[in-house]
């Protein structure tokens, strides 16, 4: 059974498996029990959920079905973006009950939407800090936060966010680069989602030819088959970012895990991916947060 070998260290000293199985998108509002069990039985230990996905009970059921001890798992959930500040703790306690655990390893604010316009981000982050202090979440962070949202939190934080989870693929690279740079400067790890969107959802764009050239070179170096998806995953991993993936297929889970064994991309190849991706801008998710 493949196993994750690479871990990323957060600014609070905890370590995260670089690859997470996400239970949104195709699993949104669906029973995720079988796919969570499948992921766990194939070597995934990092599960990425959210209150908004409306399937936390099935994540818990999948964990139970796989029979994995809690100590071997890294479990993430996210605060629904419409949750009032006063209800943050109650909402997490509800999530813990659904997941069948006493704590989550990482609790994220799903997006700043609403709270930034209402001026409640500082109060919201204070609630997150209290949750960490009380041990309900080992680490706390944010998701879909722009530079201005991060700055509001950082100006008022006693505890810095450990993670900012954002859409991350070549066709948003130019837009997210300032966020990525701020996170690096502040010691915040970026978690990526939608990493294969340029080939899975937006095929035929300028990045395709670049990926094929790189894929052929890496495959020759590796001496084993390499996919374009693995090249994109490797590009993200070489940014020291967490990769959140999702699928319904066992073969795809194994392909993602094996991406860490693919030879590193060269600086020139990384630049080529970013230059080609920057020719167009295509955001797939959470467009309302960015006014798109």
């Amino acid at each position: 059974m493949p196993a994750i070998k690479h871990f990323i260290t957060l600014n609070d000293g905890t370590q995260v498996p670089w690859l997470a199985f996400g239970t949104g998108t195709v699993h949104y509002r669906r029973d995720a029990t079988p796919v969570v069990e499948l992921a766990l039985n194939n070597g995934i230990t990092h599960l990425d959920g959210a209150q908004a996905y409306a399937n936390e009970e099935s994540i818990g059921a999948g964990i139970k079905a796989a029979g994995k001890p809690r100590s071997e798992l890294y479990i993430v959930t996210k605060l629904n973006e419409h949750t009032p500040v006063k209800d943050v703790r109650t909402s997490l306690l509800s999530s813990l009950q659904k997941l069948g655990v006493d704590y989550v390893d990482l609790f994220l604010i799903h997006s700043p939407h609403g709270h930034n316009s209402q001026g409640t981000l500082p109060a919201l982050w204070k609630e997150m800090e209290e949750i960490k202090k009380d041990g309900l979440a080992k680490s706390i962070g944010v998701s879909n936060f722009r530079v201005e949202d991060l700055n509001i939190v950082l100006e008022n934080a006693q505890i810095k966010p450990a993670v900012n989870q954002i859409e991350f693929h070549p066709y948003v690279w130019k837009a997210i680069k300032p966020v990525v740079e701020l996170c690096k400067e502040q010691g915040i790890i970026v978690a990526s989602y939608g990493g294969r969107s340029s080939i899975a959802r937006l095929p035929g764009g300028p990045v395709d030819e670049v990926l094929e050239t790189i894929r052929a070179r890496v495959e020759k170096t590796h001496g084993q088959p390499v996919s374009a998806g693995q090249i994109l995953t490797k590009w993200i991993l070489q940014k020291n970012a967490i990769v959140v993936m999702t699928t319904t297929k066992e073969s795809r889970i194994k392909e993602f895990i094996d991406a860490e064994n693919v030879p590193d991309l060269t600086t020139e190849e990384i630049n080529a991916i970013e230059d080609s991706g920057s020719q167009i801008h295509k955001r797939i998710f959470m467009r309302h947060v960015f006014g798109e």
Side-chain angles (χ1 to χ4, degrees):
M1 181 175 66
I4 302 296
K5 298 188 291 289
H6 178 65
F7 289 76
I8 294 173
T9 302
L10 303 184
N11 58 21
D12 58 13
T14 60
Q15 290 196 314
V16 187
W18 74 270
L19 183 62
F21 185 84
T23 58
T25 55
V26 296
H27 309 301
Y28 177 74
R29 294 189 176 275
R30 295 182 179 179
D31 182 1
T33 305
V35 291
V36 167
E37 183 181 7
L38 182 69
L40 292 174
N41 286 337
N42 277 277
I44 298 286
T45 57
H46 182 172
L47 300 173
D48 183 88
Q51 294 170 355
Y53 301 161
N55 58 9
E56 288 174 314
E57 296 97 332
S58 62
I59 297 174
I63 292 169
K64 187 175 181 180
K68 303 297 181 183
R70 177 68 182 92
S71 59
E72 293 181 8
L73 303 179
Y74 192 95
I75 301 172
V76 182
T77 197
K78 307 179 196 75
L79 178 73
N80 192 306
E81 66 181 4
H82 303 296
T83 306
V85 172
K86 65 182 179 60
D87 294 334
V88 172
R89 180 180 296 264
T90 302
S91 75
L92 178 56
L93 290 173
S94 176
S95 289
L96 295 179
Q97 185 176 24
K98 292 172 183 177
L99 292 163
V101 296
D102 296 327
Y103 67 93
V104 287
D105 295 275
L106 177 62
F107 188 39
L108 304 176
I109 299 171
H110 206 145
S111 96
H113 188 62
H115 288 283
N116 49 12
S117 60
Q118 295 168 14
T120 50
L121 271 182
L124 185 64
W125 186 250
K126 182 172 175 55
E127 284 297 307
M128 298 289 285
E129 291 177 332
E130 292 303 315
I131 279 166
K132 175 176 168 60
K133 290 173 184 175
D134 291 344
L136 296 175
K138 289 194 172 181
S139 300
I140 51 174
V142 297
S143 184
N144 301 299
F145 270 48
R146 305 162 298 175
V147 167
E148 53 265 44
D149 307 314
L150 280 172
N151 281 332
I152 289 171
V153 169
L154 290 168
E155 286 167 9
N156 295 276
Q158 292 182 340
I159 302 170
K160 283 186 179 183
V163 168
N164 183 19
Q165 186 180 122
I166 57 175
E167 183 175 346
F168 195 128
H169 54 79
Y171 295 142
V172 292
W173 172 250
K174 188 175 181 179
I176 67 171
K177 192 175 179 182
V179 181
V180 173
E181 289 175 348
L182 177 60
C183 286
K184 185 175 182 180
E185 176 188 312
Q186 294 292 331
I188 300 167
I189 292 295
V190 170
S192 68
Y193 68 84
R196 298 192 179 196
S197 293
S198 60
I199 54 175
R201 295 181 176 87
L202 302 163
V207 79
D208 287 17
E209 185 178 347
V210 172
L211 287 177
E212 177 52 32
T213 300
I214 298 170
R215 188 205 64 75
R217 194 282 299 172
V218 173
E219 184 171 276
K220 185 176 180 181
T221 301
H222 195 35
Q224 297 179 38
V226 174
S227 70
Q230 287 179 315
I231 297 300
L232 283 171
T233 301
K234 195 71 181 183
W235 168 63
I236 296 168
L237 188 54
Q238 284 183 243
K239 299 290 185 185
N240 197 40
I242 297 163
V243 177
V244 181
M245 54 78 72
T246 192
T247 185
T248 59
K249 300 176 181 178
E250 184 174 24
S251 61
R252 189 58 56 85
I253 292 171
K254 291 178 178 178
E255 179 188 324
F256 266 102
I257 292 173
D258 190 51
E260 69 178 357
N261 300 315
V262 170
D264 282 354
L265 310 185
T266 66
T267 301
E268 292 75 19
E269 289 168 339
I270 289 171
N271 290 338
I273 290 171
E274 293 165 11
D275 289 344
S276 62
S278 295
Q279 292 177 31
I280 60 174
H281 173 75
K282 294 284 186 180
R283 190 183 301 279
I284 306 297
F285 304 98
M286 304 294 284
R287 295 173 67 184
H288 65 285
V289 177
F290 300 89
E292 294 183 9

